[in-house]
Amino acid sequence: MSEQPPYLRIADELRQRIAERVWEPGDRLPSRAQIGQECSVGENVVRRAQELLISQGVLEGRAGSGTYVAEPRERVRVVRSSAREQPSGSPFRQDMKALRRQGDWESRTDAKVPAPAEIATRLGIAEGELCVRTTYEFLADGKPVQLSTSWEPYAVTGGTLVVLPEGGPHAGAGVVNRMAEIGVTISHAVEQPEPRHATAEEASLLGIQKAALVTHIRRTYYSDDGRPVETADIVVPAAHCEIVYEIPISPLTS
């Protein structure tokens, strides 16, 4: 059996001290040199341990000030399900209401943006073909909990009342409901979640430590004829949100 890496041992030690209230929420930790001396390891080992705990939301790094015990923050439950889009309103607002939180979002739409190679592949179109791109920042009680960048082929929605996802008479109705307005029936979505570290821009928007762990979800909606009509990159901070998948089960019929 391989020995536990030193930084994981130090992370466990720091976590234990916090659990035993040696350090309270909001307390500043001793310097890395001091912790390293106490635990007989180098400062780089302490740094890796602290970075791990920061990514998990246990610690909080403050530029020019040091590392602190993070204040407890209830994780937001983010539900992913094929049944989330309802005619009555936003699935995100419904989820936040169930948690007694105020759900909202800010968005920016750019029309006729050339599709990058990866997006073009996901949408089954040629690279450079025009798309409508919308970026979102989802908020719970005014605090950012999720980012999303959505791409829709301009050939699908151009010249219709739903060309702008957050504009016109169907603003904010969601992809499924908006597409239905122009006769496009969405039959299913495919989601590919994977963990990674936040970029500097994502960390700044989400209010998390640079390189903190996030879940990156690549989601694509397909029409009933198998055509991709929207794809999105969704970024959820691991320390602040838990992702739950609801899978509807159809009963067998005789």
Side-chain angles (χ1 to χ4, degrees), residues 196-204 209-212 214:
R196 64 169 173 79
H197 295 287
T199 65
E201 181 181 7
E202 290 166 348
S204 177
Q209 183 74 11
K210 183 179 179 181
V214 297

Side-chain angles (χ1 to χ4, degrees), residues 20-252:
E20 294 175 351
R21 299 291 183 175
V22 175
W23 300 316
E24 299 280 351
D27 283 353
R28 184 178 184 274
L29 267 61
S31 68
R32 289 174 183 165
Q34 183 176 341
I35 294 174
Q37 186 176 14
E38 291 178 6
C39 299
S40 301
V41 296
E43 290 187 39
N44 284 338
V45 173
V46 178
R47 176 183 56 78
R48 289 193 65 190
Q50 290 182 343
E51 288 176 348
L52 174 63
L53 295 180
I54 287 172
S55 72
Q56 296 173 346
V58 177
L59 298 178
E60 175 185 311
R62 301 179 189 174
S65 179
T67 304
Y68 294 76
V69 179
E71 297 286 347
R73 179 173 173 179
E74 183 183 358
R75 297 178 82 199
V76 173
R77 192 169 190 260
V78 178
V79 179
R80 315 294 305 166
S81 170
S82 61
R84 300 308 292 172
E85 302 234 16
Q86 303 294 334
S88 57
S90 159
F92 179 75
R93 283 203 177 108
Q94 292 174 23
D95 289 342
M96 293 304 101
K97 185 177 180 181
L99 295 172
R100 298 182 180 179
R101 293 170 177 256
Q102 179 65 41
D104 207 348
W105 62 84
E106 298 176 357
S107 66
R108 174 183 172 180
T109 295
D110 297 294
K112 299 185 178 181
V113 178
E118 181 189 353
I119 297 301
T121 298
R122 284 155 59 176
L123 289 173
I125 60 178
E127 181 178 354
E129 191 168 325
L130 298 181
C131 291
V132 177
R133 180 184 63 195
T134 305
T135 57
Y136 294 90
E137 183 176 356
F138 291 91
L139 311 169
D141 293 338
K143 295 181 179 180
V145 293
Q146 179 178 307
L147 304 175
S148 179
T149 302
S150 166
W151 297 79
E152 297 177 357
Y154 188 77
V156 174
T157 61
T160 73
L161 293 176
V162 302
V163 65
L164 301 178
E166 300 299 322
H170 305 291
V175 179
V176 174
N177 299 323
R178 286 177 45 253
M179 291 295 173
E181 293 292 334
I182 58 173
V184 176
T185 301
I186 292 180
S187 62
H188 69 285
V190 173
E191 294 197 346
Q192 178 185 351
E194 64 179 9
R196 64 169 173 79
H197 295 287
T199 65
E201 181 181 7
E202 290 166 348
S204 177
L205 289 171
L206 290 168
I208 58 178
Q209 183 74 11
K210 183 179 179 181
L213 288 176
V214 297
T215 301
H216 178 187
I217 303 171
R218 293 177 177 87
R219 180 201 67 205
T220 303
Y221 279 115
Y222 293 84
S223 64
D224 55 3
D225 61 0
R227 180 183 183 183
V229 295
E230 189 264 4
T231 194
D233 290 287
I234 302 165
V235 178
V236 181
H240 298 160
C241 300
E242 61 177 2
I243 300 175
V244 179
Y245 278 85
E246 290 184 353
I247 304 174
I249 305 296
S250 299
L252 295 176

